[in-house]
Amino acid sequence: MAAAPLAARALRQPLTAMIPLLRFLDRVSGSSGAVAAWLVVPLIAASCYEVFSRYVLNEPTLWAFEIGYMVMGTHFLIGMAYTLRENEHVRVDLLYGHVSQRVRALIDAFTYVVLVLPLCLWLSASLWEKALKAYETQERSGMSAFNPPIWPYRAVFFAAFTLLALQAAAQLIRCGLTLAGKQLPGEKQ
């Protein structure tokens, strides 16, 4: 029985030193969430202008469709890290809601280490290569007469999964703190 408190104490010391890193990563995710939220404004403006131009002026734009899917995709992708920070991703709650905080932390830590972090790191590396290749070849979207370069959108994919990996690392630290019996000030149980 004495081994569990001893292990928790041994784990608590290095994890406590990571609290500033945890706070920094949370701020990065919060800032990216704010950027994602504000992207709705140009999305709405572009959509409204397209409707006005198409139905009032009878001259549809060449750019509204592509700007719309790129901004909406950016909104969704960049918001992933913020959503993880806020624990708002969908999860199957059959057992999770009925177990202790420590068991939840174990389940979450396992998920981050085995699934989320490897997947995000693999995707980030692959998406960086795709963005770089699109930039080097000046690849275009090919979806409309507007035909913008696609590398900025591909760079958003890379940035989004990198931000998600960073927030998953922050959540892993948070799991470690929970397992060590330490609660951050201002955090809900």
Side-chain angles (χ1 to χ4, degrees), residues 62-78:
L62 296 175
W63 52 266
F65 167 71
E66 291 203 79
I67 293 297
Y69 84 74
M70 288 181 180
V71 173
M72 186 63 212
T74 301
H75 169 77
F76 173 81
L77 288 165
I78 297 296

Side-chain angles (χ1 to χ4, degrees), residues 11-165:
L11 186 61
R12 193 176 303 132
Q13 190 68 20
L15 285 172
T16 302
M18 297 182 115
I19 290 175
L21 174 63
L22 175 64
R23 298 285 190 212
F24 172 74
L25 293 174
D26 280 347
R27 280 194 304 273
V28 169
S29 293
S31 298
S32 68
V35 168
W38 280 102
L39 283 174
V40 172
V41 174
L43 177 63
I44 291 170
S47 298
C48 289
Y49 182 78
E50 170 63 13
V51 168
F52 175 78
S53 179
R54 179 179 298 264
Y55 294 108
V56 175
L57 303 177
N58 202 25
E59 292 184 26
T61 64
L62 296 175
W63 52 266
F65 167 71
E66 291 203 79
I67 293 297
Y69 84 74
M70 288 181 180
V71 173
M72 186 63 212
T74 301
H75 169 77
F76 173 81
L77 288 165
I78 297 296
M80 290 188 307
Y82 175 78
T83 305
L84 181 59
R85 183 189 88 166
E86 298 299 312
N87 287 316
E88 295 295 329
H89 280 286
V90 175
R91 67 169 42 113
V92 178
D93 205 7
L94 296 173
L95 297 174
Y96 191 85
H98 303 291
V99 296
S100 70
Q101 280 294 113
R102 291 180 59 84
V103 174
R104 287 181 194 175
L106 278 171
I107 293 169
D108 288 344
F110 177 81
T111 304
Y112 294 133
V113 169
V114 173
L115 183 65
V116 177
L117 281 168
L119 184 63
C120 286
L121 294 173
W122 172 69
L123 282 169
S124 293
S126 299
L127 291 166
W128 171 251
E129 290 173 16
K130 280 189 84 72
L132 195 58
K133 184 178 178 190
Y135 177 78
E136 289 169 349
T137 62
Q138 288 301 301
E139 181 182 357
R140 302 267 174 188
S141 73
M143 294 189 65
S144 73
F146 180 48
N147 204 22
I150 203 71
W151 69 264
Y153 192 48
R154 297 254 171 98
V156 165
F157 273 79
F158 160 73
F161 281 98
T162 301
L163 287 168
L164 185 59

Side-chain angles (χ1 to χ4, degrees), residues 4-5 7-13 15-16 102 105 174-183:
R9 254 195 320 254
L11 186 61
R12 193 176 303 132
Q13 190 68 20
L15 285 172
T16 302
R102 291 180 59 84
R174 194 170 270 112
C175 290
L177 289 167
T178 300
L179 291 171
K182 179 152 178 67
Q183 183 177 347

